[in-house]
Amino acid sequence: MAKTRSIYVCQNCGASQPKWMGRCPVCQAWDTLVEERQEPARPAGQTAKPTPLTPLAQAGQHPEPRLPSGLCELDRVLGGGLVAGMAVVVGGEPGIGKSTLMLQLAASLSTAQRRVLYVSAEESAAQVGLRARRLGLGGQGVDLLAETALEPVLEQIARGGHGVVIVDSIQALRSADLAGAPGSVGQVRHCAAELTARAKVGGAPLLMVGHVTKDGALAGPRVLEHMVDTVLHFESEPAMRLRLLRAVKNRFGATDEVGVFEMGENGLRPVGDPSAALLAHRPGDAPGSVVCAALGGTRPLLVEVQALVSPSGLATPRRQALGVDQGRLAMLAAVLAIHAGLELAGCDIFVNVAGGVKLIEPAADLAVAAAIASSLRGRPVPQDVVCFGEVGLAGELRAVGRLRARLAEAARHGFGRAVTAGGESPANHSIELVAASRLAQALELLWP
């Protein structure tokens, strides 16, 4: 029987070499060759077993049943719960709560009929047990396996008897078939591929914790995100009270869906009303503070956008943003200067989204612009006003989607007016829709 052998593939051009080299001889890129396993070729004349065809009209008539996790916010992000055989990667900054969430999930899913296999590749069984007692988790149906080698983990999964498998973390596992160190590109790809294939065959949902780079992306090869079904990412800083879990990729639900958790002494607690939690500490009548009705996936969220404009002593004033895109902030500052007549050329501008939320949709443009104008003029935006809308380079306001859902969320929290680009009449008439076609007109409506 032919054995597998190792080859070294360039991550820049895809060329393969029989041995490792510091420089790829094809594209001349340095340090791009990584080890991969090459499967033996099928003997001549041997054909694979044909796979039966399924008509498209009959496919998907019986959707996969969902397994509730017991954590409502996690179920929201997953699209309703776990699906048999699905592979999930959970990433985030160190200390943000990935292991805590996985341990809580294991304790919530474990029952007398459904046991959970928790593979701890970074901590000993005693350390995991101490964390479980600190969090007040029972976990009678959780089996701990403190192992860094891939082969014993695969053997344990093959024995069956576990309804869910959790691996913490995929970068700490190492296969004896490859010579690379744990966390290397080849090791991460091979270990993830073997675990995912075993989950598809056995039907037990697989959840893997993934490390992130300094840029916030999942560490390891990009193919890791392609081979799994769902990629979840923790947002916010570890020192923040609120944690946001966002679905970056989801084959079984909507992407960009957001779940909100609160970190406490007993671990992560789902937040049922995230808008109230995000606006709990909003200052009253403070210049530079504006509430934006944003969307977190399918859920409307009310978030506070803060801006501070101060005179600059630098030749090039600073434009710094937390929670919004840096380039979009520079664009909005230029639009405010040209089309709204604000003197921002000699001012530093700092923008922050309270609570550690990241606004990735253009609906936050109007709120950011209004916060900058409010700070520059020293005039607070009325407390009962919410703003949202996309700002164009010509100074025009453009309508955004899900208008009624945004207005209903704002009305539920007591806001009386919404300044936006307009659209359909709101279903809830307790909030007044104030439409504007241009950015300068919207600023005049805020301060008549």
Side-chain angles (χ1 to χ4, degrees), residues 79-275:
L82 296 170
V83 178
M86 76 181 304
V88 183
V89 172
V90 181
E93 297 289 338
I96 202 168
K98 303 183 297 295
S99 299
T100 299
L101 178 64
M102 292 297 100
L103 194 56
Q104 289 183 244
L105 174 63
S108 175
L109 289 173
S110 62
T111 60
Q113 293 78 22
R114 185 194 308 114
R115 302 192 66 84
V116 177
L117 176 61
Y118 191 98
V119 180
S120 177
E122 295 184 348
E123 298 176 312
S124 65
Q127 289 176 306
V128 178
L130 288 175
R131 178 186 292 116
R133 283 191 288 273
R134 186 172 66 250
L135 298 176
L137 303 176
Q140 297 298 327
V142 180
D143 296 327
L144 289 178
L145 177 60
E147 183 59 69
T148 59
L150 174 66
E151 288 73 20
V153 176
L154 295 177
E155 292 178 4
Q156 187 63 49
I157 297 176
R159 294 173 187 172
H162 294 99
V164 178
V165 178
I166 298 175
V167 178
D168 185 10
S169 64
I170 186 61
Q171 278 83 6
L173 285 181
R174 181 183 183 277
S175 174
D177 295 334
L178 296 181
S184 62
V185 174
Q187 287 285 357
V188 172
R189 177 184 302 173
H190 175 65
C191 293
E194 292 291 330
L195 289 171
T196 302
R198 192 62 56 90
K200 300 297 182 185
V201 173
L206 170 68
L207 295 101
M208 299 177 288
V209 174
H211 297 170
V212 296
T213 63
K214 62 181 181 180
D215 298 327
L218 281 174
R222 193 70 178 183
V223 72
L224 173 63
E225 302 180 34
H226 293 285
M227 69 174 59
V228 298
D229 301 308
T230 305
V231 178
L232 307 181
H233 197 278
F234 261 117
E235 296 180 358
S236 182
E237 298 295 331
M240 293 279 188
R241 178 176 56 92
L242 295 180
R243 307 283 199 272
L244 274 70
L245 186 65
R246 185 184 299 274
V248 181
K249 171 189 175 182
N250 194 356
R251 290 174 179 164
F252 299 100
T255 56
D256 285 332
E257 194 70 47
V258 174
V260 183
F261 295 87
E262 181 180 8
M263 177 63 78
E265 296 181 356
N266 296 325
L268 292 167
R269 180 181 64 86
V271 178
D273 191 355
S275 295

